[in-house]
Amino acid sequence: MVGTETADDAAVYQISEELAIIQTVDFFTPIADDPYAFGQIAAANALSDVYAMGGAPKIALNIAAFPNCLPVEILGEILRGGADKVKEAGAVLAGGHTIQDEEPKYGLCVTGFVHPQKMWKNVGAQAGDLLLLTKPLGNGILNTAARAELLTEAEQEAVIHTMALLNKYAAEAMSGLTVHACTDITGFGLAGHAMEMARGSNGTLQIHTAELPVFPGAVEYAAMGLVPAGTYRNREYVSDVSVGNIQGTSMEDIIFDPQTSGGLLAALPAEEAYIARQRMREKNITCAVIGQVVANEKEKLIFD
Ligand code: CO
Ligand code: CO
C-alpha cells in the first residue's frame, strides 16, 4: 500500500480487508552520553514511524553495533532503554542482532498493525486543514550545544525527556479523527518533512513562525552558531520555500534543524484539529496549531 514513492515514514503491506502491516527500521550513533537514555531515544525514534502511519507497534527487533573496547555493560544499558520503550509501546521485543563496530549504533526494526482504511500517509492534506505539531523544535541545535558542554541541566533534561517521549500519546489523541496526512519530524527538519507533505498533497503549507513550539535555549544557541551540518543540507534540499522575514535569523535555522525523534506533523479539518489539541493538552502533550493548508501556490511552503 505504501512504498518508496512519497518518502513516507514506513512501508505498508495489506494482509486482509481488516489488516495491513507497517514495517520500518531506524538506528543511529549515540545522541546522549547516558547509554540508557540513548537506548530510549533510539527506540522512541524507530517506533515513531509506526505511530506516524496511524498504527500500533507489535513486534520489535534490536539492531545494534558495539566496539569490543567498551564495557559490555554499556551495551546492556542501551538495550535496556530500548526494551523499556518497546514495553511502553505495548509491543514485544523478540530478539535482534549485534555486530562489532568502532562506534556504537542502536535502533529497532519494528512491525506494526493498522486497519487499511485507517492508515495515515504523509500526503493527502487538504486546503482548509489545520497543521498540528506535537513536540518542540530545535533538538538538533541543543544536541550540538550539548556536545560543546554548554547546556544547563534543565535544558539537557528537557531535550532528553522529549526525544525519549513516544509519539504514541499524540497519535492516540488523533485516533478516530479525520487525519488527512501525518508524518514525524526527523532528519529533514520541519521544513523538509512539511515539504514532502505539501508536494505529495498538491497543496501549499502556510506555517506561522510565531506559533512554532521551540525548546528553550534553541534560538540562543543557534545565534551562537551551534547549528548541525544537516541544517545547511536541509536548506539546500528544500526548494520552493518562502521563509519571509525570518531569513537569516535563528528561526530559519530552527525550521531546517534536523530532529531526532521529533513530534508528529498532522493535517486535520479545523474542528477536529482543535479536538486533538484539547485531548493532548489534557495529557500534557505539546500540541501547537502551527498553520494551515492552502490551495497550491508557486511556493509549496510559506513561513510567515
Ligand atoms: Co518518519
Ligand atoms: Co524513520
Side-chain angles (χ1 to χ4, degrees), residues 200-222:
S201 304
N202 196 30
T204 285
L205 268 50
Q206 187 177 14
I207 295 173
H208 311 309
T209 316
E211 304 298 332
L212 293 175
V214 176
F215 277 104
V219 170
E220 291 77 10
Y221 291 121

Side-chain angles (χ1 to χ4, degrees), residues 12 15 18 34 68 75 80-81 146 162 166 183 189 232 257 266 274:
V12 183
I15 305 285
E18 270 95 48
D34 172 29
N68 57 7
L75 176 61
R80 190 171 68 86
T162 306
L166 291 179
T183 190
Y232 303 105
D257 186 39
Y274 289 121

Side-chain angles (χ1 to χ4, degrees), residues 4-170:
T4 55
E5 307 77 22
T6 51
D8 213 324
D9 298 292
V12 183
Y13 186 94
Q14 185 163 357
I15 305 285
S16 70
E17 299 269 293
E18 270 95 48
L19 179 66
I21 55 165
I22 302 170
Q23 193 71 55
T24 184
V25 60
D26 247 303
F27 66 106
F28 45 66
T29 55
I31 187 83
D33 281 339
D34 172 29
Y36 178 76
F38 168 49
Q40 286 186 306
I41 294 163
N45 181 72
L47 290 158
S48 173
D49 282 326
V50 174
Y51 294 121
M53 307 297 302
K58 293 293 174 187
I59 308 170
L61 298 171
N62 286 320
I63 173 164
F66 201 71
N68 57 7
C69 62
L70 286 176
V72 72
E73 288 74 30
I74 294 179
L75 176 61
E77 280 297 283
I78 294 170
L79 298 179
R80 190 171 68 86
D84 281 355
K85 280 291 154 184
V86 171
K87 193 174 171 199
E88 184 185 339
V92 178
L93 189 58
H97 192 73
T98 304
I99 60 159
Q100 195 189 308
D101 198 1
E102 278 170 33
E103 199 175 1
K105 297 173 186 76
Y106 176 64
L108 296 173
C109 177
V110 186
T111 304
F113 287 0
V114 69
H115 190 289
Q117 255 73 60
K118 293 175 185 162
M119 174 183 66
W120 304 337
K121 295 190 188 185
N122 68 338
V123 300
Q126 296 179 14
D129 285 350
L130 293 185
L131 297 166
L132 300 181
L133 180 64
T134 70
K135 281 188 190 181
L137 298 168
N139 76 40
I141 290 160
L142 284 196
N143 289 323
T144 306
R147 249 170 265 130
E149 296 185 353
L150 288 169
L151 288 198
T152 66
E153 215 167 294
E155 287 166 345
Q156 181 79 266
E157 228 163 75
V159 74
I160 286 181
H161 172 85
T162 306
M163 289 189 294
L165 178 71
L166 291 179
N167 280 331
K168 173 185 189 192
Y169 309 104

Side-chain angles (χ1 to χ4, degrees), residues 107-303:
L108 296 173
C109 177
V110 186
T111 304
F113 287 0
V114 69
H115 190 289
Q117 255 73 60
K118 293 175 185 162
M119 174 183 66
W120 304 337
K121 295 190 188 185
N122 68 338
V123 300
Q126 296 179 14
D129 285 350
L130 293 185
L131 297 166
L132 300 181
L133 180 64
T134 70
K135 281 188 190 181
L137 298 168
N139 76 40
I141 290 160
L142 284 196
N143 289 323
T144 306
R147 249 170 265 130
E149 296 185 353
L150 288 169
L151 288 198
T152 66
E153 215 167 294
E155 287 166 345
Q156 181 79 266
E157 228 163 75
V159 74
I160 286 181
H161 172 85
T162 306
M163 289 189 294
L165 178 71
L166 291 179
N167 280 331
K168 173 185 189 192
Y169 309 104
E172 280 173 357
M174 295 191 288
S175 86
L177 300 176
T178 310
V179 177
H180 284 144
C182 184
T183 190
D184 58 350
I185 306 302
T186 52
F188 294 129
L190 172 67
H193 293 281
M195 174 61 78
E196 302 287 2
M197 186 177 284
R199 279 207 188 113
S201 304
N202 196 30
T204 285
L205 268 50
Q206 187 177 14
I207 295 173
H208 311 309
T209 316
E211 304 298 332
L212 293 175
V214 176
F215 277 104
V219 170
E220 291 77 10
Y221 291 121
M224 290 165 69
L226 294 156
V227 174
T231 302
Y232 303 105
R233 280 197 297 274
N234 286 342
R235 190 170 305 181
E236 267 167 44
Y237 165 81
V238 180
S239 53
D240 302 327
V241 56
S242 159
V243 298
N245 58 11
I246 62 164
Q247 185 158 18
T249 71
S250 297
M251 271 315 286
E252 190 183 11
D253 294 327
I254 283 166
I255 64 169
F256 290 103
D257 186 39
Q259 301 298 281
T260 300
S261 191
L264 298 178
L265 171 69
L268 291 84
E271 218 165 281
E272 294 178 82
Y274 289 121
I275 294 171
R277 186 176 65 169
Q278 184 56 33
R279 288 180 185 170
M280 283 187 238
R281 278 183 176 167
E282 282 162 14
K283 288 188 188 172
N284 264 329
I285 305 285
T286 299
C287 182
V289 175
I290 63 164
Q292 66 262 347
V293 183
V294 297
N296 199 17
E297 292 189 27
K298 187 166 90 36
E299 270 108 14
K300 304 299 292 168
L301 206 49
I302 297 171
F303 287 89

